[in-house]
């Protein structure tokens, strides 16, 4: 049985990792080689593209930390979870939720992202 809460935690940890080497190693462990990611601002495929996307978002929103918002809901190799981003000690300035699907080996093969709050 999949531990969806742990999966969401690992996913958000990747978004918070500003070290390119450790972030890429975590991406390789959590995502399939042909993973796709689509949200209102991006549509990319592959681990390298996701790594580049995360680096670009970190450059746009320096110092932001993403955290889980609410509970993780998962079944049948898919999960959804809310998240929010803020500077340490600050209120959330970005928020949304993601839906992920899992390959048979338990790694994420698709991310569908939705944004509910974006910085001005």
């Amino acid at each position: 049985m999949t531990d969806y809460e742990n999966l969401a935690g690992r996913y958000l940890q990747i978004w918070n990792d500003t070290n390119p080497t450790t972030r890429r190693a975590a991406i390789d462990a959590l995502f399939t080689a042909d993973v796709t990611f689509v949200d209102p601002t991006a549509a990319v495929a592959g681990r390298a593209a996701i790594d580049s996307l995360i680096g670009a978002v970190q450059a746009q929103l320096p110092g932001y930390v993403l955290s889980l918002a609410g509970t993780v809901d998962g079944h049948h190799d898919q999960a959804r979870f809310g998240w929010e981003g803020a500077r340490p000690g600050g209120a959330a300035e970005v928020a949304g939720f993601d839906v992920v699907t899992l390959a048979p080996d338990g790694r994420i093969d698709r991310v569908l992202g939705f944004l509910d709050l974006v910085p001005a």
Side-chain angles (χ1 to χ4, degrees), residues 28-68:
D28 289 349
L30 187 61
F31 295 97
T32 62
D34 60 349
V35 61
T36 59
F37 177 101
V38 179
D39 76 5
T41 65
V44 300
R47 294 179 193 147
I50 287 183
D51 189 25
S52 293
L53 174 65
I54 292 170
V57 170
Q58 289 174 347
Q60 288 178 323
L61 304 171
Y64 279 66
V65 175
L66 298 183
S67 59
L68 197 59

Side-chain angles (χ1 to χ4, degrees), residues 46-114:
R47 294 179 193 147
I50 287 183
D51 189 25
S52 293
L53 174 65
I54 292 170
V57 170
Q58 289 174 347
Q60 288 178 323
L61 304 171
Y64 279 66
V65 175
L66 298 183
S67 59
L68 197 59
T71 58
V72 178
D73 183 22
H75 62 86
H76 293 94
D77 296 327
Q78 59 189 353
R80 66 178 177 166
F81 50 89
W83 52 265
E84 57 187 21
R87 291 181 177 94
E93 296 180 52
V94 61
F97 75 92
D98 288 350
V99 175
V100 299
T101 62
L102 306 179
D105 67 2
R107 291 185 295 161
I108 296 172
D109 62 5
R110 183 184 326 179
V111 180
L112 303 170
F114 298 84

